[in-house]
């Protein structure tokens, strides 16, 4: 029977790129591999697919095939020798095998690996978040065993080479297939890929080489952090494996509410209540800020909802370019209990003000929403 065109076998165009050829081969090899596909013609199709890819993936053979067809390939030595082809990465990806001839491309279990990251919540007072603080915290993590120094073996003893894998950490199983010997590489079940077996485990760490400890750390909190800000301490997480680097330690900031102050981005909001006389006649009052008290002049005729700005009394920018402001939202307190003298004075005042009322353009609540961004 005449051989089919190799491009037709792989289902690609004659100008297909190497990546397109490899993708087509992967898909077809997965579909027609005899261990997966039990159809009667699967074996022949699989051979045909491999032969086509062996030719078209080789630039020299592909050029000869494009010019002379199958005759050009026959002139180069006949049917390709699949046992010498570099299919190891493809078959390991598709079927979990290392490939032909026993070559393994799997990442070694003994390769250095980075340690896991650790995450904690760091609670701060309002002022600590505003000005920054060096916060001492306790964390629990794994550290090298103080007794065996990380070996996992009881002092005075040493790990022995695994007899099952000969210290390689891997065991191989050879399978005979239509295309030759196929080697499956697996992690050694005896030593779990370490190549060594601890016959006398350390009594302190149980053979882990690590022990759980609580340690104290200083977390440098910069000025201006807010809820949700993350602080990273590089290399302070779980220890690495096989000499790999340690993981990182992360703290998520949570700021406790303040009795008086609220925060809106880099501004601090303060609700301040004054009495009727202060609002009507004006006054100079002391206002609390995160820096201490500050003088605020209340002009005569101040209305409820009036907002005063104390420049530079807000939150420092995390980027280091100045501070926000403190916004003082004034509320006028109407007395609910009057003495006889106070009532008489208000009645005299009322007689001079008249009884005419005017609708307000904006309510106190509307002005407050503007400040709060609602």
């Amino acid at each position: 029977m005449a051989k089919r065109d190799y491009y037709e076998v792989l289902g690609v165009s004659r100008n297909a790129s190497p990546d397109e050829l490899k993708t087509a081969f992967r898909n077809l090899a997965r579909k027609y591999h005899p261990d997966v596909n039990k159809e009667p013609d699967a074996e022949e199709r699989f051979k045909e697919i491999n032969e086509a890819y062996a030719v078209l993936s080789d630039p020299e053979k592909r050029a000869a095939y494009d010019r002379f067809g199958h005759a050009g390939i026959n002139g180069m030595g006949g049917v390709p020798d699949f046992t010498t082809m570099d299919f190891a990465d493809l078959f390991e990806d598709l079927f979990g095998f290392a490939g032909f001839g026993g070559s393994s491309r799997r990442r070694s279990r003994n390769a250095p690996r980075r340690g896991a990251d650790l995450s904690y919540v760091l609670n701060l007072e309002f002022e600590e978040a505003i000005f920054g603080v060096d916060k001492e915290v306790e964390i629990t993590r794994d550290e090298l065993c103080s007794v065996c120094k990380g070996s996992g073996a009881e002092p005075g003893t040493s790990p022995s080479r695994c007899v099952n894998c000969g210290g390689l950490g891997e065991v191989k199983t050879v399978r005979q297939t239509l295309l030759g010997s196929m080697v499956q590489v697996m992690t050694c079940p005896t030593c779990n890929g370490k190549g060594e077996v601890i016959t006398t485990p350390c009594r302190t760490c149980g053979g882990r080489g690590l022990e759980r400890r609580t340690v104290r750390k200083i977390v440098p909190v910069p000025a201006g952090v807010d809820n949700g800000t993350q602080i990273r301490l590089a290399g302070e997480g779980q220890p690495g494996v096989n000499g790999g680097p340690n993981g990182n330690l992360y703290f998520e900031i949570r700021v406790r509410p303040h009795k008086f102050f609220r925060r809106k981005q880099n501004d601090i909001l303060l609700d301040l209540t004054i009495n009727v006389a202060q609002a009507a006649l004006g006054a100079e009052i002391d206002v609390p800020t995160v820096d201490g008290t500050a003088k605020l002049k209340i002009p005569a005729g101040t209305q409820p909802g009036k907002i005063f700005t104390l420049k530079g009394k807000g939150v420092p920018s995390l980027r280091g370019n100045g501070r926000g402001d403190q916004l003082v939202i004034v509320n006028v307190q109407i007395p609910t209990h009057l003495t006889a003298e106070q009532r008489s004075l208000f009645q005299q005042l009322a007689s001079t003000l008249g009884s005419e009322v005017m609708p307000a353009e904006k309510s106190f609540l509307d002005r407050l929403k503007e400040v709060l961004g609602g």
Side-chain angles (χ1 to χ4, degrees):
M1 182 180 297
K3 289 185 177 182
R4 289 201 299 157
D5 178 75
Y6 287 148
Y7 292 102
E8 179 185 344
V9 170
L10 295 181
V12 297
S13 65
R14 301 192 74 83
N15 59 354
S17 67
D19 286 341
E20 290 173 328
L21 290 172
K22 181 178 288 189
T23 299
F25 170 72
R26 285 174 182 268
N27 294 335
L28 293 170
R30 182 184 295 112
K31 181 178 179 181
Y32 289 103
H33 192 280
D35 288 344
V36 177
N37 192 321
K38 301 304 180 182
E39 295 180 4
D41 63 342
E43 179 181 329
E44 292 301 322
R45 289 294 303 275
F46 188 69
K47 288 181 180 180
E48 185 182 43
I49 292 163
N50 278 279
E51 182 178 332
Y53 184 69
V55 172
L56 298 184
S57 62
D58 185 309
E60 184 179 353
K61 292 179 181 179
R62 182 177 181 178
Y65 177 76
D66 288 344
R67 188 172 183 184
F68 302 110
H70 292 292
I73 299 303
N74 292 335
M76 298 181 71
V79 177
D81 179 8
F82 301 118
T83 62
T84 65
M85 291 171 57
D86 187 15
F87 285 144
D89 60 336
L90 297 174
F91 279 92
E92 183 177 6
D93 176 62
L94 296 173
F95 308 112
F97 297 114
F100 300 105
S103 169
S104 173
R105 294 174 180 259
R106 291 183 181 274
R107 176 182 174 181
S108 172
R109 287 290 297 271
N110 293 325
R113 297 196 299 276
R114 180 177 175 274
D117 294 333
L118 294 176
S119 297
Y120 285 84
V121 171
L122 183 59
N123 292 303
L124 299 178
E125 300 300 332
F126 189 85
E127 289 85 351
E128 291 177 329
I130 300 300
F131 295 114
V133 65
D134 287 338
K135 200 78 169 176
E136 185 179 55
V137 299
E138 288 188 348
I139 64 167
T140 302
R141 68 184 181 192
D142 289 331
E143 296 201 339
L144 286 181
C145 176
S146 57
V147 176
C148 70
K149 309 304 180 184
S151 71
E154 184 69 14
T157 69
S158 300
S160 58
R161 188 172 67 171
C162 177
V163 296
N164 188 44
C165 65
L168 297 176
E170 297 176 336
V171 290
K172 300 177 181 179
T173 303
V174 180
R175 296 180 56 191
Q176 297 299 323
T177 71
L178 296 170
L179 303 177
S181 296
M182 184 174 288
V183 180
Q184 183 177 11
V185 180
M186 301 173 56
T187 299
C188 176
T190 302
C191 65
N192 293 319
K194 295 181 179 179
E196 296 179 329
V197 177
I198 299 174
T199 54
T200 308
C202 172
R203 285 175 289 181
T204 300
C205 65
R208 292 179 63 230
L210 302 170
E211 58 180 329
R212 204 74 172 159
R213 292 185 196 162
T214 298
V215 296
R216 292 180 177 273
K217 289 292 175 184
I218 300 296
V219 183
V221 179
V225 297
D226 200 359
N227 283 308
T229 301
Q230 277 200 339
I231 297 176
R232 184 187 72 168
L233 298 186
E236 295 291 349
Q238 287 286 80
V241 180
N242 300 324
N246 291 355
N248 297 324
L249 177 59
Y250 291 92
F251 289 94
E252 181 179 345
I253 299 298
R254 301 274 178 84
V255 183
R256 295 187 179 98
H258 194 274
K259 184 177 180 180
F260 303 120
F261 300 122
R262 290 170 293 150
R263 178 172 174 173
K264 180 189 176 186
Q265 298 177 356
N266 282 353
D267 291 334
I268 294 176
L269 310 181
L270 174 68
D271 296 306
L272 186 68
T273 299
I274 61 177
N275 61 42
V276 174
Q278 290 171 320
L281 302 176
E284 187 175 77
I285 59 177
D286 289 329
V287 176
T289 74
V290 291
D291 298 303
T293 58
K295 293 292 185 181
L296 176 64
K297 185 175 181 180
I298 304 294
T302 293
Q303 302 298 310
K306 175 68 177 177
I307 299 169
F308 296 93
T309 300
L310 299 177
K311 289 288 187 181
K313 295 295 184 180
V315 182
S317 171
L318 273 173
R319 298 181 178 86
N321 53 349
R323 292 176 62 175
D325 302 323
Q326 178 168 315
L327 305 181
V328 181
I329 307 165
V330 170
N331 179 37
V332 179
Q333 184 178 37
I334 306 301
T336 55
H337 301 286
L338 298 174
T339 65
E341 181 182 6
Q342 290 171 336
R343 179 174 293 276
S344 175
L345 291 173
F346 269 108
Q347 287 173 343
Q348 294 178 42
L349 177 63
S351 65
T352 64
L353 296 177
S355 58
E356 183 179 359
V357 295
M358 293 290 291
E361 295 181 2
K362 287 187 178 180
S363 68
F364 170 74
L365 183 59
D366 290 334
R367 289 194 293 271
L368 188 59
K369 285 183 177 179
E370 288 179 358
V371 175
L372 298 178

